[in-house]
Amino acid sequence: MALPDLIPDSEGAGRFLPWVVAVMVFFAALAGAAGLALNQATGAWRADLANTITVEIPPLKGNKAGQDGPDQARVAAVVKALRATAGIREVRLLEADEIANLLQPWLGSGGLIAELPLPNLIDVQLSPTEPADLPLLMKWLAKIGPDIHVDDHQIWLGKLIRLSQSLQWMMLACLAMLCFATCAVVIFGTRSAFAAHLEVVKLLHVMGARDGYIARLFLWRAMSMGLKGGLIGLAATAAALFALSRLAADLEGPLLGNLALSPLGLLSLASLPFLAALLTALTARRTVLRELSRMP
Amino acid sequence: MVRFENVGVRYGVGSEVLRDITLHIAPGSFQFLTGASGAGKSSLLKLMYLAQLPSRGSVQVFGQDFAKTPRRDLPALRRRIGVVFQDFRLLKNLSVFDNVALPLRIAGEDEKRARKNVSELLDWVGLGGRLQDSPDTLSGGEQQRVAIARAVITKPSLLLADEPTGNVDDRIAYRLMRLFEELHRSGTAVVVATHNDALVRRFSHPILVLADSVLQPGTAGPAFASTDGAAGSGRITK
């Protein structure tokens, strides 16, 4: 037999539950979206830089970048050494314009950059299948010039990943706190509903209803309200994320380019209302069972 | 069926509302429980329908000691007891039919059989034409008949009625008592708590009298011939 509608959901403090769950799901979805986007971006940065090193050849005193002379001889020697090294797929010397473009955000587009003794930069793509012997390569390059520096981006990438991971842990902590707060609100709301329907509960108890039967009445009520609130919260999140994505698109930044969520990420966010409904229902059930355990 | 041994009930730190209650309700018996308002009739019935644990003493229902029975086994015992309340306690958001069907639904009965039983029972109490009505649209007497139908739909072995005639006039009260007698004739043990002495005198059933928190032999009706305890002993057996 179906459960009769004995616990109307429009009575007591419980009627605010959908709105509280909506707010919780909204913030949880925002935190989740940020965490997922960061995770995705970190993965992309790691993939982009994992097979890349940059060789920096500082200019000798009195020489400017692009000028013929000892610098060019050092560059040619380095390129030759790189091409002779196993595990290196591509070697590309950055043009002076490209180096100037990299510095432009910090130094401006005036003539200052042209006056500076800029290093020569060589972008080296490593083979993903055949590992290169970087320590040996560094030894060779040190013979050409002890000031020649090989940057495998690990320090920069490490800091970035640590920052990203810290932020992701914070997002997880936010989610955990939101879950905790939701449970607290559900417990309060369920106790309030239990008190409001105590006469019905006592009657069912006297008729021989098992605790599970009575708890199910509250469980379905809480699940219905949790799902309603969760869907409202998700709709609000969708609107907020859409607005944010429009703003981010205007920036056209190289880092923000990776922040779009994957289909799996979107599916995770879409599951939040159902998870919220489940959490609400199970918390309500547990709360009712605890209250009922005080009855003989 | 129901056996109390030196039972006492105390709420919080106050004095005992029931003291040294010893009684035995035999299967298929009919018993009145009388006493002034506040004498402890409702507390005594609560013990019988397993809604209140005694503070001391032993309460046995269907051979099971209430205090020692595992909590998970109590619902099965409660389903063998029907309870009628003075204020009916019908659920306003359910129809007459659904109110009466509720104990069957709780027990997980088959819906088809439940429909047949509920319809027959409501016919028996004279409310066959009001199945889908809301309890709010019924008179006090009709509501109490629905409450009685709900209490007996599971064919309980024990029917407890707490002031069932308190909210109806004398004519309806007499008719309700006749309903209880019919149930009694079908083998159900019935205990009716009431402070309506005039009504009690119209029937020849044993009487339990509660006074000053203690069960005493009553003074009204021929039923006292069947009590085996001396005055003041608190022991009444049928």
Side-chain angles (χ1 to χ4, degrees):
Chain A
M1 280 192 181
L3 284 173
D5 182 22
L6 301 176
I7 313 289
D9 59 7
S10 58
E11 290 178 22
R15 66 178 180 273
F16 298 112
L17 193 59
W19 298 106
V20 174
V21 173
V23 172
M24 298 299 183
V25 166
F26 174 74
F27 286 119
L30 278 188
L36 286 169
L38 269 176
N39 186 42
Q40 205 167 299
T42 307
W45 297 332
R46 203 194 296 259
D48 284 351
L49 297 174
N51 294 319
T52 305
I53 61 172
T54 302
V55 179
E56 180 188 334
I57 307 161
L60 295 170
K61 279 187 179 174
N63 264 313
K64 286 181 185 172
Q67 283 183 335
D68 288 339
D71 276 347
Q72 290 308 308
R74 290 209 316 163
V75 168
V78 169
V79 169
K80 190 177 172 186
L82 288 169
R83 287 194 171 136
T85 305
I88 287 181
R89 199 178 62 187
E90 189 183 333
V91 177
R92 189 175 73 84
L93 178 66
L94 265 65
E95 299 292 334
D97 290 349
E98 288 180 87
I99 298 172
N101 282 341
L102 290 173
L103 292 172
Q104 202 175 325
W106 289 273
L107 300 178
S109 55
L112 180 62
I113 293 174
E115 299 298 320
L116 291 172
L118 297 178
N120 283 291
L121 297 177
I122 300 172
D123 181 31
V124 180
Q125 298 292 319
L126 304 175
S127 166
T129 52
E130 185 186 3
D133 189 348
L134 292 182
L136 182 65
L137 175 65
M138 285 178 193
K139 272 186 191 172
W140 285 1
L141 296 181
K143 282 180 188 168
I144 298 168
D147 56 343
I148 294 172
H149 174 66
V150 176
D151 183 2
D152 60 1
H153 312 295
Q154 291 309 307
I155 295 173
W156 180 80
L157 190 61
K159 284 179 182 170
L160 201 60
I161 287 171
R162 271 199 298 281
L163 174 67
S164 161
Q165 284 174 342
S166 302
L167 286 171
Q168 284 177 55
W169 280 112
M170 281 176 66
M171 303 298 175
L172 278 177
C174 282
L175 285 174
M177 282 191 284
L178 285 169
C179 285
F180 178 77
T182 306
C183 288
V185 170
V186 172
I187 289 169
F188 173 75
T190 305
R191 280 187 185 157
S192 164
F194 190 89
H197 297 98
L198 189 58
E199 287 306 312
V200 175
V201 170
K202 280 183 177 173
L203 185 67
L204 296 172
H205 192 67
V206 165
M207 286 177 180
R210 294 194 178 278
D211 291 356
Y213 180 92
I214 298 171
R216 270 201 301 281
L217 296 171
F218 285 88
L219 179 145
W220 287 116
R221 171 184 176 276
M223 184 175 269
S224 149
M225 288 196 288
L227 187 61
K228 208 182 293 177
L231 290 172
I232 294 170
L234 187 68
T237 311
L241 288 180
F242 178 73
L244 279 174
S245 71
R246 295 293 295 268
L247 289 171
D250 290 344
L251 288 175
E252 293 178 352
L255 293 178
L256 292 175
N258 291 323
L259 289 180
L261 289 174
S262 66
L264 191 65
L266 289 172
L267 195 67
S268 308
L269 292 186
S271 70
L272 276 177
F274 303 100
L275 292 175
L278 190 67
L279 180 71
T280 307
L282 293 178
T283 307
R285 182 178 185 277
R286 191 175 159 78
T287 306
V288 171
L289 288 177
R290 280 180 75 98
E291 294 291 321
L292 286 171
S293 69
R294 292 178 192 149
M295 291 183 174
Chain B
M1 175 166 281
V2 178
R3 192 177 289 277
F4 283 30
E5 297 287 346
N6 296 316
V7 168
V9 171
R10 183 196 304 275
Y11 296 112
V13 292
S15 57
E16 284 190 324
V17 294
L18 290 174
R19 279 187 288 128
D20 302 325
I21 305 292
T22 296
L23 62 83
H24 173 225
I25 307 287
S29 60
F30 193 118
Q31 201 92 43
F32 279 115
L33 175 63
T34 66
S37 291
K41 299 190 295 294
S42 294
S43 294
L44 190 63
L45 289 186
K46 272 185 180 177
L47 291 168
M48 289 187 192
Y49 61 78
L50 309 174
Q52 166 80 45
L53 276 164
S55 307
R56 62 183 174 87
S58 157
V59 171
Q60 286 188 33
V61 178
F62 305 124
Q64 304 273 324
D65 190 315
F66 182 18
K68 292 177 184 164
T69 303
R71 200 170 172 281
R72 64 176 179 279
D73 294 341
L74 291 174
L77 292 182
R78 291 189 181 108
R79 287 175 196 174
R80 296 173 65 188
I81 305 169
V83 187
V84 178
F85 301 95
Q86 178 180 3
D87 55 356
F88 323 133
R89 299 198 192 172
L90 298 176
L91 300 172
K92 309 288 183 213
N93 53 329
L94 298 186
S95 65
V96 165
F97 178 90
D98 286 334
N99 265 285
V100 177
L102 188 56
L104 294 176
R105 288 178 170 152
I106 287 171
E109 285 288 331
D110 174 63
E111 180 76 31
K112 201 173 169 183
R113 203 167 60 187
R115 284 193 171 279
K116 185 172 168 287
N117 289 350
V118 172
S119 299
E120 282 176 7
L121 193 56
L122 282 169
D123 276 339
W124 179 68
V125 296
L127 292 168
R130 310 293 298 269
L131 295 184
Q132 296 310 318
D133 289 359
S134 164
D136 283 338
T137 63
L138 305 181
S139 68
E142 287 171 332
Q143 289 193 46
Q144 195 56 295
R145 277 185 278 156
V146 175
I148 291 169
R150 184 181 64 188
V152 300
I153 187 69
T154 53
K155 299 185 176 69
S157 308
L158 174 64
L159 179 66
L160 305 172
D162 189 0
E163 299 280 4
T165 59
N167 284 339
V168 294
D169 61 38
D170 286 347
R171 189 177 57 87
I172 300 292
Y174 185 76
R175 285 181 59 187
L176 291 175
M177 290 308 302
R178 285 289 178 207
L179 272 180
F180 289 131
E181 285 207 309
E182 276 192 56
L183 289 165
H184 169 232
R185 275 195 291 275
S186 69
T188 302
V190 179
V191 177
V192 178
T194 179
H195 63 269
N196 186 341
D197 287 342
L199 186 71
V200 171
R201 283 192 191 96
R202 294 175 73 173
F203 298 87
S204 56
H205 296 298
I207 305 168
L208 302 169
V209 180
L210 265 174
D212 298 328
S213 309
V214 177
L215 198 57
Q216 302 172 351
T219 53
F224 279 93
S226 65
T227 63
D228 66 354
S233 73
R235 178 179 294 278
I236 297 176
T237 306
K238 185 176 184 231

